PDB file of all heavy atoms in Angstrom:
ATOM      1  N   PRO A 413      98.148 -89.446 -39.113  1.00  0.00           N
ATOM      2  CA  PRO A 413      97.601 -90.325 -40.174  1.00  0.00           C
ATOM      3  C   PRO A 413      96.172 -90.053 -40.401  1.00  0.00           C
ATOM      4  O   PRO A 413      95.396 -89.747 -39.466  1.00  0.00           O
ATOM      5  CB  PRO A 413      97.835 -91.726 -39.598  1.00  0.00           C
ATOM      6  CG  PRO A 413      98.009 -91.527 -38.111  1.00  0.00           C
ATOM      7  CD  PRO A 413      98.613 -90.185 -37.927  1.00  0.00           C
ATOM      8  N   PHE A 414      95.739 -90.105 -41.637  1.00  0.00           N
ATOM      9  CA  PHE A 414      94.377 -89.698 -42.043  1.00  0.00           C
ATOM     10  C   PHE A 414      93.594 -90.925 -42.350  1.00  0.00           C
ATOM     11  O   PHE A 414      93.963 -91.740 -43.230  1.00  0.00           O
ATOM     12  CB  PHE A 414      94.554 -88.791 -43.248  1.00  0.00           C
ATOM     13  CG  PHE A 414      93.251 -88.267 -43.764  1.00  0.00           C
ATOM     14  CD1 PHE A 414      92.328 -87.685 -42.885  1.00  0.00           C
ATOM     15  CD2 PHE A 414      92.917 -88.325 -45.102  1.00  0.00           C
ATOM     16  CE1 PHE A 414      91.126 -87.211 -43.368  1.00  0.00           C
ATOM     17  CE2 PHE A 414      91.748 -87.833 -45.578  1.00  0.00           C
ATOM     18  CZ  PHE A 414      90.822 -87.284 -44.701  1.00  0.00           C
ATOM     19  N   ASP A 415      92.489 -91.055 -41.701  1.00  0.00           N
ATOM     20  CA  ASP A 415      91.622 -92.241 -41.935  1.00  0.00           C
ATOM     21  C   ASP A 415      90.504 -91.945 -42.918  1.00  0.00           C
ATOM     22  O   ASP A 415      89.596 -92.744 -43.060  1.00  0.00           O
ATOM     23  CB  ASP A 415      91.081 -92.791 -40.645  1.00  0.00           C
ATOM     24  CG  ASP A 415      90.200 -91.773 -39.948  1.00  0.00           C
ATOM     25  OD1 ASP A 415      90.180 -90.611 -40.396  1.00  0.00           O
ATOM     26  OD2 ASP A 415      89.473 -92.125 -39.006  1.00  0.00           O
ATOM     27  N   GLY A 416      90.562 -90.791 -43.546  1.00  0.00           N
ATOM     28  CA  GLY A 416      89.550 -90.524 -44.538  1.00  0.00           C
ATOM     29  C   GLY A 416      88.447 -89.601 -44.038  1.00  0.00           C
ATOM     30  O   GLY A 416      87.704 -89.030 -44.837  1.00  0.00           O
ATOM     31  N   ILE A 417      88.266 -89.525 -42.717  1.00  0.00           N
ATOM     32  CA  ILE A 417      87.131 -88.750 -42.305  1.00  0.00           C
ATOM     33  C   ILE A 417      87.503 -87.844 -41.101  1.00  0.00           C
ATOM     34  O   ILE A 417      87.012 -86.707 -41.028  1.00  0.00           O
ATOM     35  CB  ILE A 417      85.924 -89.662 -41.945  1.00  0.00           C
ATOM     36  CG1 ILE A 417      84.664 -88.881 -41.703  1.00  0.00           C
ATOM     37  CG2 ILE A 417      86.255 -90.590 -40.742  1.00  0.00           C
ATOM     38  CD1 ILE A 417      84.049 -88.330 -42.926  1.00  0.00           C
ATOM     39  N   THR A 418      88.361 -88.283 -40.213  1.00  0.00           N
ATOM     40  CA  THR A 418      88.606 -87.534 -38.975  1.00  0.00           C
ATOM     41  C   THR A 418      89.321 -86.220 -39.338  1.00  0.00           C
ATOM     42  O   THR A 418      90.283 -86.202 -40.084  1.00  0.00           O
ATOM     43  CB  THR A 418      89.496 -88.342 -38.016  1.00  0.00           C
ATOM     44  OG1 THR A 418      88.970 -89.647 -37.976  1.00  0.00           O
ATOM     45  CG2 THR A 418      89.569 -87.734 -36.681  1.00  0.00           C
ATOM     46  N   GLY A 419      88.811 -85.167 -38.729  1.00  0.00           N
ATOM     47  CA  GLY A 419      89.434 -83.864 -38.949  1.00  0.00           C
ATOM     48  C   GLY A 419      88.786 -83.076 -40.075  1.00  0.00           C
ATOM     49  O   GLY A 419      89.154 -81.950 -40.257  1.00  0.00           O
ATOM     50  N   LEU A 420      87.913 -83.685 -40.776  1.00  0.00           N
ATOM     51  CA  LEU A 420      87.290 -82.951 -41.885  1.00  0.00           C
ATOM     52  C   LEU A 420      86.199 -82.020 -41.329  1.00  0.00           C
ATOM     53  O   LEU A 420      85.565 -82.259 -40.325  1.00  0.00           O
ATOM     54  CB  LEU A 420      86.663 -83.889 -42.875  1.00  0.00           C
ATOM     55  CG  LEU A 420      87.607 -84.791 -43.631  1.00  0.00           C
ATOM     56  CD1 LEU A 420      86.882 -85.488 -44.764  1.00  0.00           C
ATOM     57  CD2 LEU A 420      88.716 -83.927 -44.278  1.00  0.00           C
ATOM     58  N   TYR A 421      86.014 -80.950 -42.068  1.00  0.00           N
ATOM     59  CA  TYR A 421      84.937 -79.999 -41.728  1.00  0.00           C
ATOM     60  C   TYR A 421      83.782 -80.172 -42.668  1.00  0.00           C
ATOM     61  O   TYR A 421      83.959 -80.513 -43.844  1.00  0.00           O
ATOM     62  CB  TYR A 421      85.496 -78.552 -41.891  1.00  0.00           C
ATOM     63  CG  TYR A 421      86.483 -78.168 -40.847  1.00  0.00           C
ATOM     64  CD1 TYR A 421      87.845 -78.300 -41.071  1.00  0.00           C
ATOM     65  CD2 TYR A 421      86.046 -77.605 -39.617  1.00  0.00           C
ATOM     66  CE1 TYR A 421      88.797 -77.944 -40.151  1.00  0.00           C
ATOM     67  CE2 TYR A 421      87.035 -77.205 -38.690  1.00  0.00           C
ATOM     68  CZ  TYR A 421      88.366 -77.380 -38.939  1.00  0.00           C
ATOM     69  OH  TYR A 421      89.265 -77.009 -38.031  1.00  0.00           O
ATOM     70  N   PHE A 422      82.634 -79.945 -42.159  1.00  0.00           N
ATOM     71  CA  PHE A 422      81.488 -79.827 -43.070  1.00  0.00           C
ATOM     72  C   PHE A 422      80.538 -78.746 -42.620  1.00  0.00           C
ATOM     73  O   PHE A 422      80.648 -78.226 -41.484  1.00  0.00           O
ATOM     74  CB  PHE A 422      80.763 -81.192 -43.242  1.00  0.00           C
ATOM     75  CG  PHE A 422      80.071 -81.681 -41.982  1.00  0.00           C
ATOM     76  CD1 PHE A 422      78.735 -81.351 -41.707  1.00  0.00           C
ATOM     77  CD2 PHE A 422      80.733 -82.526 -41.121  1.00  0.00           C
ATOM     78  CE1 PHE A 422      78.098 -81.824 -40.617  1.00  0.00           C
ATOM     79  CE2 PHE A 422      80.109 -82.985 -39.995  1.00  0.00           C
ATOM     80  CZ  PHE A 422      78.775 -82.624 -39.749  1.00  0.00           C
ATOM     81  N   LEU A 423      79.650 -78.402 -43.498  1.00  0.00           N
ATOM     82  CA  LEU A 423      78.836 -77.203 -43.358  1.00  0.00           C
ATOM     83  C   LEU A 423      77.386 -77.619 -43.404  1.00  0.00           C
ATOM     84  O   LEU A 423      77.034 -78.543 -44.125  1.00  0.00           O
ATOM     85  CB  LEU A 423      79.141 -76.310 -44.557  1.00  0.00           C
ATOM     86  CG  LEU A 423      78.486 -74.974 -44.705  1.00  0.00           C
ATOM     87  CD1 LEU A 423      79.328 -73.992 -43.945  1.00  0.00           C
ATOM     88  CD2 LEU A 423      78.467 -74.610 -46.171  1.00  0.00           C
ATOM     89  N   SER A 424      76.555 -76.950 -42.640  1.00  0.00           N
ATOM     90  CA  SER A 424      75.161 -77.274 -42.704  1.00  0.00           C
ATOM     91  C   SER A 424      74.351 -75.992 -42.612  1.00  0.00           C
ATOM     92  O   SER A 424      74.676 -75.020 -41.988  1.00  0.00           O
ATOM     93  CB  SER A 424      74.751 -78.166 -41.531  1.00  0.00           C
ATOM     94  OG  SER A 424      74.777 -77.460 -40.370  1.00  0.00           O
ATOM     95  N   GLY A 425      73.239 -75.982 -43.384  1.00  0.00           N
ATOM     96  CA  GLY A 425      72.331 -74.861 -43.375  1.00  0.00           C
ATOM     97  C   GLY A 425      70.972 -75.430 -43.153  1.00  0.00           C
ATOM     98  O   GLY A 425      70.658 -76.550 -43.562  1.00  0.00           O
ATOM     99  N   ALA A 426      70.094 -74.668 -42.545  1.00  0.00           N
ATOM    100  CA  ALA A 426      68.750 -75.206 -42.231  1.00  0.00           C
ATOM    101  C   ALA A 426      67.693 -74.224 -42.636  1.00  0.00           C
ATOM    102  O   ALA A 426      67.930 -73.029 -42.871  1.00  0.00           O
ATOM    103  CB  ALA A 426      68.658 -75.502 -40.703  1.00  0.00           C
ATOM    104  N   VAL A 427      66.484 -74.733 -42.678  1.00  0.00           N
ATOM    105  CA  VAL A 427      65.336 -73.952 -43.015  1.00  0.00           C
ATOM    106  C   VAL A 427      65.119 -72.886 -41.901  1.00  0.00           C
ATOM    107  O   VAL A 427      65.268 -73.147 -40.728  1.00  0.00           O
ATOM    108  CB  VAL A 427      64.110 -74.900 -43.127  1.00  0.00           C
ATOM    109  CG1 VAL A 427      62.850 -74.081 -43.346  1.00  0.00           C
ATOM    110  CG2 VAL A 427      64.280 -75.909 -44.207  1.00  0.00           C
ATOM    111  N   HIS A 428      64.776 -71.694 -42.326  1.00  0.00           N
ATOM    112  CA  HIS A 428      64.534 -70.543 -41.440  1.00  0.00           C
ATOM    113  C   HIS A 428      65.680 -70.218 -40.543  1.00  0.00           C
ATOM    114  O   HIS A 428      65.543 -69.626 -39.497  1.00  0.00           O
ATOM    115  CB  HIS A 428      63.291 -70.831 -40.557  1.00  0.00           C
ATOM    116  CG  HIS A 428      62.038 -71.010 -41.334  1.00  0.00           C
ATOM    117  ND1 HIS A 428      61.682 -70.170 -42.347  1.00  0.00           N
ATOM    118  CD2 HIS A 428      61.085 -71.965 -41.242  1.00  0.00           C
ATOM    119  CE1 HIS A 428      60.559 -70.611 -42.867  1.00  0.00           C
ATOM    120  NE2 HIS A 428      60.158 -71.678 -42.225  1.00  0.00           N
ATOM    121  N   ASP A 429      66.845 -70.649 -40.897  1.00  0.00           N
ATOM    122  CA  ASP A 429      68.007 -70.393 -40.042  1.00  0.00           C
ATOM    123  C   ASP A 429      68.977 -69.476 -40.761  1.00  0.00           C
ATOM    124  O   ASP A 429      69.384 -69.804 -41.880  1.00  0.00           O
ATOM    125  CB  ASP A 429      68.687 -71.720 -39.660  1.00  0.00           C
ATOM    126  CG  ASP A 429      69.511 -71.600 -38.441  1.00  0.00           C
ATOM    127  OD1 ASP A 429      69.877 -70.446 -38.092  1.00  0.00           O
ATOM    128  OD2 ASP A 429      69.819 -72.650 -37.824  1.00  0.00           O
ATOM    129  N   ARG A 430      69.342 -68.399 -40.098  1.00  0.00           N
ATOM    130  CA  ARG A 430      70.228 -67.482 -40.778  1.00  0.00           C
ATOM    131  C   ARG A 430      71.742 -67.776 -40.451  1.00  0.00           C
ATOM    132  O   ARG A 430      72.588 -66.982 -40.751  1.00  0.00           O
ATOM    133  CB  ARG A 430      69.872 -66.033 -40.398  1.00  0.00           C
ATOM    134  CG  ARG A 430      68.555 -65.596 -40.934  1.00  0.00           C
ATOM    135  CD  ARG A 430      68.376 -64.118 -40.979  1.00  0.00           C
ATOM    136  NE  ARG A 430      68.227 -63.580 -39.647  1.00  0.00           N
ATOM    137  CZ  ARG A 430      69.098 -62.726 -39.102  1.00  0.00           C
ATOM    138  NH1 ARG A 430      70.156 -62.336 -39.740  1.00  0.00           N
ATOM    139  NH2 ARG A 430      68.868 -62.271 -37.873  1.00  0.00           N
ATOM    140  N   LEU A 431      71.936 -68.892 -39.804  1.00  0.00           N
ATOM    141  CA  LEU A 431      73.296 -69.258 -39.464  1.00  0.00           C
ATOM    142  C   LEU A 431      73.645 -70.545 -40.198  1.00  0.00           C
ATOM    143  O   LEU A 431      72.886 -71.465 -40.261  1.00  0.00           O
ATOM    144  CB  LEU A 431      73.470 -69.471 -37.970  1.00  0.00           C
ATOM    145  CG  LEU A 431      73.523 -68.287 -37.061  1.00  0.00           C
ATOM    146  CD1 LEU A 431      73.666 -68.690 -35.652  1.00  0.00           C
ATOM    147  CD2 LEU A 431      74.637 -67.347 -37.457  1.00  0.00           C
ATOM    148  N   LEU A 432      74.848 -70.522 -40.794  1.00  0.00           N
ATOM    149  CA  LEU A 432      75.371 -71.774 -41.385  1.00  0.00           C
ATOM    150  C   LEU A 432      76.407 -72.287 -40.400  1.00  0.00           C
ATOM    151  O   LEU A 432      77.306 -71.576 -39.991  1.00  0.00           O
ATOM    152  CB  LEU A 432      76.007 -71.511 -42.730  1.00  0.00           C
ATOM    153  CG  LEU A 432      75.181 -70.975 -43.838  1.00  0.00           C
ATOM    154  CD1 LEU A 432      76.017 -70.453 -44.964  1.00  0.00           C
ATOM    155  CD2 LEU A 432      74.305 -72.120 -44.332  1.00  0.00           C
TER     156      LEU A 432
END
Side-chain angles (χ1 to χ4, degrees):
Chain A
F414 180 49
D415 62 349
I417 189 74
T418 313
L420 293 190
Y421 290 92
F422 67 89
L423 182 86
S424 71
V427 175
H428 298 314
D429 200 341
R430 292 198 289 118
L431 285 179
L432 296 166

